Amino acid sequence: MYDNSLEKKLKLEKRVRTEPPSQKEGISGLCQTINQFFINSYDAEKKELWGRNYIRWLQLIGFYICFYAGLACFFSAVWFTWFRVILNADDPIYSGEDGMAWTPGVSHIPILDPERKSTLIRYVRSNETQVGMIREMMYQDFLSGYEPAEWTSENGNFIDCTEGRTDPDIEKVCEFKLDNIRPCVLQDDYGFGDGQPCIMLKLNKVNNWVPENYESIDEVPEEIKDVWQPNVITVKCFGSDPVSRENLGDIEYYPQQGWSFDYYPFTGQQGYKSPLVAVQFMSLPHRMIVFITCKAYTKNMVYEASYGLGQTKFEIISD
């Protein structure tokens, strides 16, 4: 008779090997693995965990606490120094005391390129939407800060210098009123709607820079002798090339052709606003690009085109 007991035994062993362990068996195995891990990690005889006793573990933890606390303090100090000292908006890095290399640059408004890579001012005088966009850009981004509400918010830190500075305290700020640059005002679209655009000029802030008068009329540059005044930083705009000079036409300056010495020096005074000169081009050619340079003149002004020191350049075309 055929004995199939051996065959049955082999089938039983095969079934045992192929059947997955039950959930209970799996949990039990995991617990055994974890338990064995801790048994191997802790040496009960030496009272060490992963090769260190509790004293060495405390030393290691204390070291890392001190290390990361010191690292946090270091970066906090760097952050504070950078944003509160180096980048203090009321105390610029560049100072007039640093030598003639840091005399003011000249800025102009508007700059229509949002990335500020182009200085071209191009517009269509009959396009009310475009003129309105330029008007709102000039006012919202820059000129709104010169409104009376902004000036009076600094608790009387401002003085009227219309007739000259009467208070020798340099912490007092000479106020600048937008009425001074009329007709280059918001209500008149800053002249863009009439084809007589107004460009706003200002000197950039340089801490403790003090303008100096020419000592005699002989020192005054020839191109401004007919308009130069003492105690005024004279400004003059002209064509950057012969064709532009020929076609630039008449120019008007408001409130005067320059910035009064009364506004200087800038020392970080509360609420200080750089004075403006509005330059209105009265008869620009139609559909022709004009290259313009505007320069500021004092005895201690330095000119460097690549940095915009003492001058600014831009182009205008009206379609």
Side-chain angles (χ1 to χ4, degrees):
M1 184 176 180
Y2 176 71
D3 185 5
N4 60 357
S5 60
L6 180 59
E7 182 179 354
K8 289 181 180 180
K9 184 177 180 180
L10 292 174
K11 288 182 178 180
L12 180 62
E13 290 179 354
K14 183 178 181 181
R15 186 178 65 180
V16 170
R17 287 196 302 267
T18 56
E19 284 183 355
S22 65
Q23 183 177 5
K24 185 176 180 180
E25 291 174 343
I27 295 175
S28 176
L30 178 61
C31 291
Q32 289 178 1
T33 302
I34 295 174
N35 184 53
Q36 189 64 36
F37 171 77
F38 282 106
I39 290 174
N40 294 335
S41 300
Y42 181 71
D43 187 337
E45 182 179 348
K46 296 181 179 180
K47 297 183 178 180
E48 292 181 348
L49 179 64
W50 292 307
R52 289 186 175 89
N53 58 28
Y54 75 95
I55 294 178
R56 293 179 62 189
W57 274 113
L58 289 176
Q59 290 174 341
L60 183 66
I61 293 171
F63 167 78
Y64 278 106
I65 289 176
C66 293
F67 174 76
Y68 285 112
L71 202 62
C73 291
F74 171 76
F75 282 107
S76 297
V78 171
W79 187 274
F80 177 84
T81 303
W82 181 257
F83 286 98
R84 292 299 183 91
V85 179
I86 297 178
L87 296 183
N88 188 347
D90 293 330
D91 189 16
I93 301 172
Y94 303 137
S95 170
E97 298 172 348
D98 295 335
M100 69 178 185
W102 298 121
T103 55
V106 181
S107 296
H108 70 272
I109 304 295
I111 297 178
L112 301 185
D113 181 7
E115 296 184 358
R116 305 180 75 85
K117 294 181 179 179
S118 171
T119 55
L120 176 63
I121 302 171
R122 185 169 190 168
Y123 71 100
V124 180
R125 68 181 71 179
S126 60
N127 188 328
E128 295 183 2
T129 300
Q130 189 179 46
V131 170
M133 180 194 70
I134 296 174
R135 178 188 65 231
E136 293 302 315
M137 178 187 300
M138 292 180 67
Y139 181 76
Q140 296 295 339
D141 293 350
F142 184 70
L143 294 171
S144 60
Y146 288 82
E147 290 291 357
E150 295 291 333
W151 289 96
T152 57
S153 64
E154 302 292 346
N155 301 321
N157 196 43
F158 302 99
I159 56 176
D160 185 358
C161 298
T162 304
E163 303 298 329
R165 177 180 280 273
T166 57
D167 190 334
D169 183 5
I170 62 173
E171 293 304 315
K172 296 290 185 179
V173 179
C174 287
E175 61 181 353
F176 186 90
K177 298 178 180 178
L178 291 181
D179 285 341
N180 295 344
I181 58 175
R182 194 174 293 277
C184 294
V185 292
L186 176 68
Q187 294 80 1
D188 295 328
D189 296 329
Y190 303 110
F192 280 86
D194 298 327
Q196 298 177 334
C198 295
I199 306 300
M200 305 298 169
L201 302 180
K202 74 178 186 71
L203 288 181
N204 297 334
K205 298 174 185 176
V206 175
N207 207 33
N208 292 319
W209 180 79
V210 179
E212 297 178 5
N213 269 316
Y214 296 106
E215 294 181 3
S216 68
I217 190 64
D218 294 332
E219 288 188 348
V220 178
E222 194 65 34
E223 63 266 28
I224 62 166
K225 278 188 176 180
D226 57 334
V227 296
W228 175 78
Q229 302 177 56
N231 301 319
V232 173
I233 304 170
T234 305
V235 63
K236 184 177 179 67
C237 296
F238 49 87
S240 302
D241 57 76
V243 175
S244 295
R245 284 194 289 272
E246 183 179 347
N247 292 276
L248 188 57
D250 296 331
I251 303 175
E252 298 290 340
Y253 301 85
Y254 308 100
Q256 60 180 342
Q257 197 167 340
W259 301 276
S260 171
F261 282 17
D262 292 331
Y263 292 90
Y264 304 94
F266 167 70
T267 60
Q269 300 98 320
Q270 185 181 22
Y272 180 92
K273 297 289 184 182
S274 298
L276 305 175
V277 170
V279 183
Q280 187 170 27
F281 299 93
M282 307 302 293
S283 52
L284 288 174
H286 191 47
R287 293 181 179 175
M288 175 182 174
I289 187 168
V290 179
F291 297 84
I292 300 170
T293 298
C294 294
K295 294 179 68 174
Y297 295 84
T298 61
K299 182 180 178 180
N300 58 334
M301 186 67 69
V302 174
Y303 304 102
E304 176 53 59
S306 59
Y307 290 101
L309 294 179
Q311 61 188 309
T312 187
K313 296 185 178 184
F314 53 92
E315 308 80 40
I316 299 181
I317 182 170
S318 172
D319 294 328

